[in-house]
Amino acid sequence: MNAPMPEPLVEVSDLCREFDVSKPWLNRLIEREPKQFLRAVDNVHFNINKGETLALVGESGSGKSTIAKMLVGLLEPSQGTILFGGQRMRTDTSAEMQVLRKRFQMIFQSPYASLNPRWRVGEVIAEPMTVLAIVKDRREIQKRVDELLVLVGLSAADARKFPHEFSGGQRQRIAIARALSANPEFIVCDEPTSALDVSVQAQILNLMRDLQDELGLTYLFISHDLSVVRHMANRIGVLYLGALVEIADSKTLFSNPVHPYTKMLLDAVPDLAMTGRERKRVEGEIPNPINPPTGCTFHPRCPFANERCKREVPLLKAYGTGVASCHAVEEGRID
Amino acid sequence: MTTPVLSVKDLVVEFPTRHGPLTAISGVSFDLAPGEILGMVGESGAGKSLTGSAIIGLLDPPGRIASGEIWLQGERIDQLRGDDMRVLRGRRVGMVFQDPLTSLNPLYTIAEQLIETIRTHLEISVNEARKRAIGLLDDVGIPAASRRIDDYPHQFSGGMRQRVVIALALAAEPALVIADEPTTALDVSVQAQIIEVLKEQCTQRGASIMLITHDMGVIAETADRVAVMYAGRIAEIGPVKDIIQNAMHPYTSGLMGSIPSLTQEDDRLVQIPGAMPRLAAMPAGCAFHPRCERVFDKCTASRPQLIPMGTHEVSCWLYDDATAVAAKP
């Protein structure tokens, strides 16, 4: 395959985010406790190329949504940088950021919470255009709203309705139309279908793929559902307790997972095809992120853990087309 | 032939409103054999949870059973009231709900809740009940059960809490366990563990399970038979493997195709146009006909009943001998 050199649109390096989860000042004083921090995202490093879909998967508390928020400038990283088209992402309202913000949008998990119930759908969809001052003429805005509604499979007449008049799937279509109204290059989708039923989910996933082909969009797709991720993504990153444990091509990750956590996650997915494939029993649960295990955070659940895993944090190393962070793989203890 | 543990006949559940009654469940019938695991699958609003609530008499008023019969081990239970129903719940029918945090009382320790449940249904001393409770927690895989039994629910993780709920459901050795979305609130790696514990413990005790979920994957892993519900009716019912690999009802095959697969190379998911009808605007005839690709005149006119087709039963006019010929393309 002689595809053109991939051009990174988003470059994330050494990204960390800590949250202060300490008790109030007086309690700390009386109970003589130090401040407590939760490291939600820990040294995450990845690129997203133009026109591709990168998916991040992980269980609850793995830092997926925190990364999403930092990528669109809703949350300040504690450490590390995010470059968008070569420009550094910040959370302030400077002129450069205003220009940069026109280039990306976000779709949220619940279309019930992300649409203002007191606004008409037309106003909801027009908001990014007016706020970012992309289109100023009212008639032109109206025209664009109508086009967007048709694009996402609704009708132009729906612009006058309120969000409550729509079903969950239709609302998510409205949220997609809103994200598209500023003509972005990059859309961060945070669990866009997990609030929807499967048949509606299929409609939304198909729509998102069609739009990507049509408009040349780049997606960061966040989900806990591996089968959805496999369907949508070109590359997949697996998160565990805030750290990336493996990134690989979608096909490679499913056919040939490297990291023991990825293997465990794949084994845990119910097998709809009923092929009766051999599966390992999943052990244990995610530990408390306030007090994570030392060394490799996965070692208490890992069947291949040894002394080194308990001591030393593994680094991402290249294996085939992807990267993974595991001492056991590095030492050749597992293939 | 053995008596089924649970037998639901023509169940109709209605919600009276100012504009007349809304029929949420309309003519649902199925049997559950001893030791069998029946999956109930469907999208939100299909009536799967409501069927479960109707069986254990926990319908929220003004919802009521308008007609039909429910039989538990050969005894009719849909007309039981108050105390009689309370004795039955927990003793003969155990329940596991979606969110383990709301089904446990946060103000009581696990020991208090388990002992209370056991002593409500069985006449044994507190000490014996405690021993039994520890045994139960051991069975559902709670490490160091004798120590952890005196903890409060908030001291357990989500997966451990759901194990406690399963222990509670099994406390009085019920003949039937109704599990309503038992793993929906949990992560995938924990979900697999919980499903395994539920299945293993019920099988050991010979209890049947009615497993209500929207996740076809969970059903495929767990259930013996599955009932696919749509708009308050059973669209298709039959052995899991047959339904998954050889769905007959157009809704079931659409539903199966819309699930992204882990193993199959697929470019596009099957898409069922539209959404499930609202209760107030239920279409005439087959409830699925406005979304169905293979609709013909009979579908809009009258409602199909469950027709036996080999191992399945399917409610679709395509499989009715008298009309099938007309529908052939």
Side-chain angles (χ1 to χ4, degrees), chain A residues 14-175:
Chain A
D14 308 324
L15 191 67
C16 292
R17 171 73 208 193
E18 282 189 338
F19 291 103
D20 188 345
V21 291
S22 315
K23 289 183 180 168
W25 170 80
L26 193 59
N27 288 60
R28 288 206 307 272
L29 196 72
I30 295 168
E31 294 160 24
R32 291 163 194 264
E33 275 180 19
K35 276 200 160 192
Q36 270 192 323
F37 293 95
L38 184 154
R39 193 158 251 234
V41 176
D42 190 9
N43 260 322
V44 166
H45 190 102
F46 61 85
N47 288 345
I48 307 175
N49 298 324
K50 248 183 203 146
E52 79 164 352
T53 303
L54 175 76
L56 292 179
V57 281
E59 301 179 86
S60 33
S62 60
K64 316 183 285 289
S65 296
T66 312
I67 292 177
K69 281 186 189 149
M70 288 193 283
L71 275 189
V72 293
L74 287 175
L75 205 63
E76 185 86 46
S78 309
Q79 210 184 302
T81 51
I82 300 165
L83 295 180
F84 185 89
Q87 263 182 290
R88 189 162 172 177
M89 183 81 71
R90 292 200 306 265
T91 50
D92 57 24
T93 52
S94 60
E96 303 98 80
M97 267 316 285
Q98 287 296 67
V99 176
L100 203 58
R101 282 212 175 89
K102 292 179 187 172
R103 300 175 59 189
F104 54 81
Q105 283 289 327
M106 183 158 175
I107 300 168
F108 297 91
Q109 174 169 2
S110 164
Y112 295 89
S114 70
L115 303 177
N116 188 334
R118 301 174 69 165
W119 284 20
R120 287 182 199 278
V121 166
E123 299 170 74
V124 169
I125 295 174
E127 196 191 13
M129 287 190 270
T130 46
V131 169
L132 297 168
I134 291 167
V135 188
K136 292 200 177 98
D137 181 49
R138 270 187 57 193
R139 213 172 289 150
E140 212 158 295
I141 290 180
Q142 186 61 47
K143 206 178 126 225
R144 179 105 179 98
V145 167
D146 293 354
E147 282 169 13
L148 284 165
L149 279 168
V150 175
L151 185 67
V152 298
L154 298 169
S155 81
D158 290 331
R160 298 199 45 76
K161 293 186 186 162
F162 285 98
H164 75 257
E165 294 173 69
F166 295 90
S167 68
Q170 290 171 320
R171 281 171 195 236
Q172 204 57 299
R173 288 174 192 266
I174 295 168

Side-chain angles (χ1 to χ4, degrees), chain A residues 167 170 199-200 203, chain B residues 230 272-278 291:
Chain A
S167 68
Q170 290 171 320
S199 76
V200 181
Q203 296 172 6
Chain B
Y230 183 80
I272 310 176
M276 193 150 50
R278 284 175 299 126
R291 300 173 73 188

Side-chain angles (χ1 to χ4, degrees), chain B residues 25-251:
Chain B
I25 293 178
S26 140
V28 164
S29 308
F30 61 89
D31 283 348
L32 188 54
E36 188 184 36
I37 303 176
L38 174 72
M40 291 286 243
V41 68
E43 301 179 80
S44 19
K48 47 193 195 314
S49 290
L50 214 53
T51 308
S53 313
I55 291 167
I56 47 179
L58 283 180
L59 279 178
D60 282 324
R64 61 189 180 87
I65 297 175
S67 67
E69 294 171 12
I70 301 169
W71 295 73
L72 182 74
Q73 295 173 304
E75 184 195 336
R76 190 163 173 188
I77 60 166
D78 54 291
Q79 287 158 331
L80 294 182
R81 292 280 168 265
D83 282 346
D84 295 334
M85 197 70 205
R86 211 167 296 140
V87 170
L88 180 136
R89 269 197 299 263
R91 178 74 189 89
R92 294 170 61 193
V93 184
M95 285 154 293
V96 178
F97 294 107
Q98 175 170 346
D99 185 2
L101 201 53
T102 49
S103 38
L104 294 171
N105 189 331
L107 297 178
Y108 290 94
T109 62
I110 300 301
E112 288 169 308
Q113 300 187 46
L114 269 168
I115 292 169
E116 184 198 353
T117 309
I118 293 170
R119 295 196 69 216
T120 308
H121 298 298
L122 309 173
E123 281 180 24
I124 53 177
S125 73
V126 177
N127 273 336
E128 271 173 80
R130 191 182 161 88
K131 252 186 230 140
R132 205 186 155 96
I134 293 171
L136 276 166
L137 290 180
D138 250 340
D139 288 346
V140 295
I142 293 198
S146 52
R147 195 156 45 80
R148 297 228 60 190
I149 191 167
D150 291 310
D151 284 351
Y152 287 90
H154 77 264
Q155 291 167 294
F156 289 82
S157 68
M160 286 298 157
R161 261 181 230 136
Q162 198 62 298
R163 288 173 196 261
V164 172
V165 174
I166 292 173
L168 268 172
L170 295 171
E173 307 273 328
L176 168 68
V177 172
I178 298 180
D180 191 353
E181 304 268 7
T183 59
T184 308
L186 306 171
D187 280 316
V188 268
S189 70
V190 181
Q191 164 178 309
Q193 301 170 8
I194 295 298
I195 286 292
E196 198 178 301
V197 163
L198 183 68
K199 191 172 174 174
E200 178 191 285
Q201 290 306 315
C202 288
T203 314
Q204 267 176 28
R205 291 170 164 76
S208 306
I209 306 177
M210 181 172 149
L211 178 65
I212 301 167
T213 176
H214 68 276
D215 189 337
M216 204 65 200
V218 170
I219 300 254
E221 292 269 299
T222 323
D224 303 314
R225 280 194 312 144
V226 58
V228 181
M229 289 196 73
Y230 183 80
R233 304 164 188 188
I234 291 180
E236 188 164 3
I237 182 168
V240 172
K241 201 160 185 166
D242 294 358
I243 297 253
I244 286 176
Q245 291 170 353
N246 182 24
M248 297 180 104
H249 198 286
Y251 174 67

Side-chain angles (χ1 to χ4, degrees), chain A residues 43 63 65 80 135 147 175 214 220 250 311 330:
Chain A
N43 260 322
S65 296
V135 188
E147 282 169 13
E214 215 168 299
L220 173 70
S250 176
R311 269 192 340 262
E330 190 194 325

